[in-house]
Amino acid sequence: MRLLKVATCNLNQWAMDFDCNMKNIKESISKAKEAGAVIRLGPELEVTGYGCEDHFLELDTLTHAWECLKDILLGDWTDGILCSIGMPVIKGSERYNCQVLCMNRKILMIRPKMWLANDGNYRELRWFTPWKGKYQLEEFQLPSEISEALSQKSAPFGYGYIQFLDTAVAAEVCEELFTPMPPHAELALNGVEVFMNASGSHHQLRKLNLRLHSFIGATHIRGGVYMYSNHQGCDGARLYYDGCACVVINSDVVAQGSQFSLKDVEVVMAQVDLDAVASLRGSVSSFQEQASSKTKVPSIAAPYSLCQPFNLQISLSSPLKIQYHSPEEEIAFGPGCWLWDYLRRSGASGFLLPLSGGADSSSVAAIVGCMCQLVVKEIVNGDEQVKADAIRIGQYTDGQYPTDSKEFAKRIFYTVYMGSENSSEATRSRAKLLADEIGAWHLDVSIDGVVSALLTLFEKLTGKRPRYQVDGGSNIENLGLQNIQARIRMVLAFMLASLLPWVHSKPGFYLVLGSSNVDEGLRGYLTKYDCSSADINPIGSISKQDLRAFLRWAAVHLGYPSLAEVEAAPPTAELEPIRSNYSQLDEVDMGMTYEELSVYGRLRKIFRCGPVSMFKNLCYRWGARLTPSEVAEKVKHFFKYYSINRHKMTVLTPSYHAESYSPEDNRFDLRQFLYNARWPYQFRKIDELVKNLDGDKIAFEESDDVGKVAATSDVGGGMGVVAAGSGDPKAGI
């Protein structure tokens, strides 16, 4: 037997905070060595943090990375253990995303990434060059300061593997695993038995199984030990890296770390038998044949043994049942951990949330409550870093620290119900009840006086006073009156966030939390600069349907039973007067259901459909219920309002990324924000298709449970290229 103990890790790094990152790297190496591991794998670009973005273009960033690596190599950190450390490296005039493989205070090899992530949230080609010298290793001249300190002039640089006395080890960096022809395939044919994948992979709802299936598939036929390391936490932007460091051998998961955690360092260990890899490969005839005619991958020799012989004192890691979270748990734990990183690293003293009693703001409140529960749980489990952060933020003294989540929430969480004459008693009471269940410091204020003052000022300026539509006013007046309320709430929220700590003799400020969901962002069903405008938004990339499922789950599993009542209530903005014969409803205002919005969003973004392609797809999906003409009207209605409201994405509150059809335009969904909202060419093509289809019998089975909605007029819709108005109540310019 060849027994090998390996360690991989989840690290909560912070972009450009080299002290923080070095502390975590060293702690992970120490834990690996203490456990007897001989290989330690860290995340991609762990020295700098993955999310440095244009800081990678600064020479300082790369210089500091070398300084940090030198610090590690001058100590005893790498004695007796192979460490794969992620950092950027300049070779010649090109920047590369590299794994630096070190052992016994020397650099054995520098492995540049060959296939860069460059879609969705990733822009690696903006900062790095892919390594194209596939079947060669070059000598890389180390920076003079490093060379002198280590007494090492150069190191092999390129694509290859390390041949130890008893096994072969290679790196495969993040995106390379997911390419059509991944490196591990030919590396396995060259005899590599241990693959180290350093990754910077962000959380997305329902995504983890795809990642794990890739690890399992990589070793299913080829055999091998596949190690995976990832960042975990928020390193300073919209993404949450969801950890799940793991070890797989011959398609069996034998070690799995957490997906969501407040820990800064989590090390995952596994003890494997490499003879099991050799045995599997020897039993597959096609593997043997392909290995005999393989393309030779270059290697370097390392005169060290990594394995131990048969020893009954050493137990092997057994296959595990893979742990997956439900989508509802992902919504609770992912954004909850993301909020904790923002809170502890921003210097803020807490959060302030405009709590309306509706589904969206109640979801945000529940996520903050979950965060408080996670903090207390980690303190009970002995996490000293979480404890120290909680003591500082909650301003505990005399050795006290959080022991109850509701008590902790009272210290760090303000909620405020900003009611108007249009608000109902039902939403007011739901907001108060939920705040009490969580433990938040709750305020209830009326904004009618401020609204009246602004209208009086407007009347003095113009001689006119606008009226609601139900009282005889025009659509323009109706929109203006609703937008005044929404924007007043934004101004009041920021004022309270900055001054309430002063009122209560607390230092610092509170972060304002937003609560618009991904579907409303896609449709533009929000007022520009209303109370959805905030510092950060934990649900901005989560669909309404998922949020409603989360509310049902949280009512039971987080212990906030009032959420069941919130979920059951019909969504409403409560910006228009309530009358006996009229009550404002979101889906009626929008002219489409939230279920339909999810379908539109996925077709537009994930399946890359323009209006014509979307129409064709929906004729198949909805053809059993709707005529081609009806489908066409729905598609036109969506694209009209999507395009006239797209400008709102440019000022959307930074949101936790969780959904693959997010319209967030910072880097995920790169489209213009000035459209010809008539879509004349595309809509004409749809009309031609409808003309040809009308009269044909459509008999398709539906694949989406999407209902019809009440028709709405397009008055005030801004049909030209300028988004002069949106025609919906929450949609101010």
Side-chain angles (χ1 to χ4, degrees), residues 346-366:
S346 66
S349 301
F351 297 120
L352 183 138
L353 171 68
L355 182 58
S356 70
D360 294 332
S361 61
S362 296
S363 295
V364 174

PDB file of all heavy atoms in Angstrom, residues 346-366:
ATOM      1  N   SER A 346     -16.476  46.210   6.973  1.00  0.00           N
ATOM      2  CA  SER A 346     -16.793  47.562   6.504  1.00  0.00           C
ATOM      3  C   SER A 346     -16.581  48.623   7.574  1.00  0.00           C
ATOM      4  O   SER A 346     -16.540  49.818   7.252  1.00  0.00           O
ATOM      5  CB  SER A 346     -18.249  47.621   6.037  1.00  0.00           C
ATOM      6  OG  SER A 346     -19.134  47.435   7.139  1.00  0.00           O
ATOM      7  N   GLY A 347     -16.481  48.220   8.826  1.00  0.00           N
ATOM      8  CA  GLY A 347     -16.395  49.187   9.908  1.00  0.00           C
ATOM      9  C   GLY A 347     -17.752  49.649  10.390  1.00  0.00           C
ATOM     10  O   GLY A 347     -17.843  50.518  11.279  1.00  0.00           O
ATOM     11  N   ALA A 348     -18.840  49.092   9.841  1.00  0.00           N
ATOM     12  CA  ALA A 348     -20.193  49.467  10.258  1.00  0.00           C
ATOM     13  C   ALA A 348     -20.518  48.864  11.619  1.00  0.00           C
ATOM     14  O   ALA A 348     -19.908  47.879  12.059  1.00  0.00           O
ATOM     15  CB  ALA A 348     -21.205  49.014   9.217  1.00  0.00           C
ATOM     16  N   SER A 349     -21.510  49.468  12.272  1.00  0.00           N
ATOM     17  CA  SER A 349     -21.942  48.988  13.588  1.00  0.00           C
ATOM     18  C   SER A 349     -23.176  48.104  13.508  1.00  0.00           C
ATOM     19  O   SER A 349     -23.619  47.573  14.530  1.00  0.00           O
ATOM     20  CB  SER A 349     -22.239  50.179  14.500  1.00  0.00           C
ATOM     21  OG  SER A 349     -21.098  50.997  14.644  1.00  0.00           O
ATOM     22  N   GLY A 350     -23.752  47.979  12.322  1.00  0.00           N
ATOM     23  CA  GLY A 350     -24.940  47.152  12.184  1.00  0.00           C
ATOM     24  C   GLY A 350     -25.639  47.425  10.874  1.00  0.00           C
ATOM     25  O   GLY A 350     -25.094  48.054   9.962  1.00  0.00           O
ATOM     26  N   PHE A 351     -26.886  46.933  10.777  1.00  0.00           N
ATOM     27  CA  PHE A 351     -27.696  47.084   9.576  1.00  0.00           C
ATOM     28  C   PHE A 351     -28.976  47.847   9.890  1.00  0.00           C
ATOM     29  O   PHE A 351     -29.522  47.741  10.994  1.00  0.00           O
ATOM     30  CB  PHE A 351     -28.101  45.716   9.008  1.00  0.00           C
ATOM     31  CG  PHE A 351     -26.952  44.862   8.554  1.00  0.00           C
ATOM     32  CD1 PHE A 351     -26.725  43.620   9.130  1.00  0.00           C
ATOM     33  CD2 PHE A 351     -26.113  45.285   7.535  1.00  0.00           C
ATOM     34  CE1 PHE A 351     -25.683  42.817   8.706  1.00  0.00           C
ATOM     35  CE2 PHE A 351     -25.064  44.488   7.100  1.00  0.00           C
ATOM     36  CZ  PHE A 351     -24.847  43.259   7.688  1.00  0.00           C
ATOM     37  N   LEU A 352     -29.465  48.579   8.887  1.00  0.00           N
ATOM     38  CA  LEU A 352     -30.797  49.175   8.959  1.00  0.00           C
ATOM     39  C   LEU A 352     -31.583  48.731   7.743  1.00  0.00           C
ATOM     40  O   LEU A 352     -31.090  48.821   6.614  1.00  0.00           O
ATOM     41  CB  LEU A 352     -30.739  50.697   9.018  1.00  0.00           C
ATOM     42  CG  LEU A 352     -32.109  51.377   9.166  1.00  0.00           C
ATOM     43  CD1 LEU A 352     -32.053  52.532  10.154  1.00  0.00           C
ATOM     44  CD2 LEU A 352     -32.647  51.864   7.813  1.00  0.00           C
ATOM     45  N   LEU A 353     -32.801  48.261   7.979  1.00  0.00           N
ATOM     46  CA  LEU A 353     -33.645  47.745   6.898  1.00  0.00           C
ATOM     47  C   LEU A 353     -35.011  48.412   6.917  1.00  0.00           C
ATOM     48  O   LEU A 353     -35.718  48.342   7.919  1.00  0.00           O
ATOM     49  CB  LEU A 353     -33.821  46.227   7.058  1.00  0.00           C
ATOM     50  CG  LEU A 353     -34.855  45.565   6.136  1.00  0.00           C
ATOM     51  CD1 LEU A 353     -34.377  45.597   4.686  1.00  0.00           C
ATOM     52  CD2 LEU A 353     -35.140  44.126   6.583  1.00  0.00           C
ATOM     53  N   PRO A 354     -35.414  49.050   5.813  1.00  0.00           N
ATOM     54  CA  PRO A 354     -36.812  49.465   5.678  1.00  0.00           C
ATOM     55  C   PRO A 354     -37.687  48.216   5.554  1.00  0.00           C
ATOM     56  O   PRO A 354     -37.612  47.495   4.549  1.00  0.00           O
ATOM     57  CB  PRO A 354     -36.824  50.286   4.389  1.00  0.00           C
ATOM     58  CG  PRO A 354     -35.398  50.696   4.172  1.00  0.00           C
ATOM     59  CD  PRO A 354     -34.588  49.555   4.696  1.00  0.00           C
ATOM     60  N   LEU A 355     -38.469  47.924   6.579  1.00  0.00           N
ATOM     61  CA  LEU A 355     -39.243  46.683   6.655  1.00  0.00           C
ATOM     62  C   LEU A 355     -40.714  46.993   6.396  1.00  0.00           C
ATOM     63  O   LEU A 355     -41.383  47.605   7.233  1.00  0.00           O
ATOM     64  CB  LEU A 355     -39.054  46.034   8.029  1.00  0.00           C
ATOM     65  CG  LEU A 355     -39.751  44.703   8.284  1.00  0.00           C
ATOM     66  CD1 LEU A 355     -39.314  43.643   7.274  1.00  0.00           C
ATOM     67  CD2 LEU A 355     -39.472  44.220   9.710  1.00  0.00           C
ATOM     68  N   SER A 356     -41.202  46.567   5.239  1.00  0.00           N
ATOM     69  CA  SER A 356     -42.559  46.928   4.826  1.00  0.00           C
ATOM     70  C   SER A 356     -43.613  45.927   5.252  1.00  0.00           C
ATOM     71  O   SER A 356     -44.805  46.194   5.135  1.00  0.00           O
ATOM     72  CB  SER A 356     -42.600  47.063   3.302  1.00  0.00           C
ATOM     73  OG  SER A 356     -42.466  45.781   2.693  1.00  0.00           O
ATOM     74  N   GLY A 357     -43.200  44.749   5.699  1.00  0.00           N
ATOM     75  CA  GLY A 357     -44.154  43.686   5.980  1.00  0.00           C
ATOM     76  C   GLY A 357     -44.458  42.827   4.773  1.00  0.00           C
ATOM     77  O   GLY A 357     -45.260  41.898   4.858  1.00  0.00           O
ATOM     78  N   GLY A 358     -43.803  43.131   3.627  1.00  0.00           N
ATOM     79  CA  GLY A 358     -43.972  42.322   2.424  1.00  0.00           C
ATOM     80  C   GLY A 358     -42.932  41.221   2.331  1.00  0.00           C
ATOM     81  O   GLY A 358     -42.028  41.102   3.172  1.00  0.00           O
ATOM     82  N   ALA A 359     -43.020  40.429   1.266  1.00  0.00           N
ATOM     83  CA  ALA A 359     -42.169  39.245   1.135  1.00  0.00           C
ATOM     84  C   ALA A 359     -40.690  39.587   1.000  1.00  0.00           C
ATOM     85  O   ALA A 359     -39.833  38.926   1.598  1.00  0.00           O
ATOM     86  CB  ALA A 359     -42.623  38.410  -0.065  1.00  0.00           C
ATOM     87  N   ASP A 360     -40.362  40.607   0.234  1.00  0.00           N
ATOM     88  CA  ASP A 360     -38.962  40.891  -0.053  1.00  0.00           C
ATOM     89  C   ASP A 360     -38.219  41.408   1.177  1.00  0.00           C
ATOM     90  O   ASP A 360     -37.174  40.870   1.562  1.00  0.00           O
ATOM     91  CB  ASP A 360     -38.848  41.896  -1.199  1.00  0.00           C
ATOM     92  CG  ASP A 360     -39.361  41.337  -2.517  1.00  0.00           C
ATOM     93  OD1 ASP A 360     -39.306  40.108  -2.686  1.00  0.00           O
ATOM     94  OD2 ASP A 360     -39.815  42.119  -3.356  1.00  0.00           O
ATOM     95  N   SER A 361     -38.725  42.471   1.793  1.00  0.00           N
ATOM     96  CA  SER A 361     -38.028  43.016   2.965  1.00  0.00           C
ATOM     97  C   SER A 361     -38.072  42.037   4.126  1.00  0.00           C
ATOM     98  O   SER A 361     -37.126  41.961   4.920  1.00  0.00           O
ATOM     99  CB  SER A 361     -38.627  44.366   3.371  1.00  0.00           C
ATOM    100  OG  SER A 361     -39.984  44.237   3.731  1.00  0.00           O
ATOM    101  N   SER A 362     -39.139  41.244   4.231  1.00  0.00           N
ATOM    102  CA  SER A 362     -39.199  40.227   5.291  1.00  0.00           C
ATOM    103  C   SER A 362     -38.161  39.137   5.070  1.00  0.00           C
ATOM    104  O   SER A 362     -37.589  38.604   6.025  1.00  0.00           O
ATOM    105  CB  SER A 362     -40.603  39.617   5.361  1.00  0.00           C
ATOM    106  OG  SER A 362     -41.563  40.589   5.726  1.00  0.00           O
ATOM    107  N   SER A 363     -37.902  38.807   3.800  1.00  0.00           N
ATOM    108  CA  SER A 363     -36.846  37.832   3.498  1.00  0.00           C
ATOM    109  C   SER A 363     -35.485  38.355   3.942  1.00  0.00           C
ATOM    110  O   SER A 363     -34.679  37.613   4.523  1.00  0.00           O
ATOM    111  CB  SER A 363     -36.818  37.530   1.995  1.00  0.00           C
ATOM    112  OG  SER A 363     -38.003  36.900   1.579  1.00  0.00           O
ATOM    113  N   VAL A 364     -35.222  39.633   3.664  1.00  0.00           N
ATOM    114  CA  VAL A 364     -33.949  40.222   4.082  1.00  0.00           C
ATOM    115  C   VAL A 364     -33.830  40.214   5.598  1.00  0.00           C
ATOM    116  O   VAL A 364     -32.777  39.875   6.162  1.00  0.00           O
ATOM    117  CB  VAL A 364     -33.814  41.660   3.537  1.00  0.00           C
ATOM    118  CG1 VAL A 364     -32.559  42.321   4.095  1.00  0.00           C
ATOM    119  CG2 VAL A 364     -33.764  41.642   2.018  1.00  0.00           C
ATOM    120  N   ALA A 365     -34.916  40.566   6.283  1.00  0.00           N
ATOM    121  CA  ALA A 365     -34.891  40.551   7.746  1.00  0.00           C
ATOM    122  C   ALA A 365     -34.597  39.150   8.272  1.00  0.00           C
ATOM    123  O   ALA A 365     -33.808  38.974   9.215  1.00  0.00           O
ATOM    124  CB  ALA A 365     -36.225  41.056   8.296  1.00  0.00           C
ATOM    125  N   ALA A 366     -35.215  38.138   7.662  1.00  0.00           N
ATOM    126  CA  ALA A 366     -34.986  36.760   8.098  1.00  0.00           C
ATOM    127  C   ALA A 366     -33.542  36.335   7.856  1.00  0.00           C
ATOM    128  O   ALA A 366     -32.965  35.594   8.670  1.00  0.00           O
ATOM    129  CB  ALA A 366     -35.944  35.821   7.367  1.00  0.00           C
TER     130      ALA A 366
END
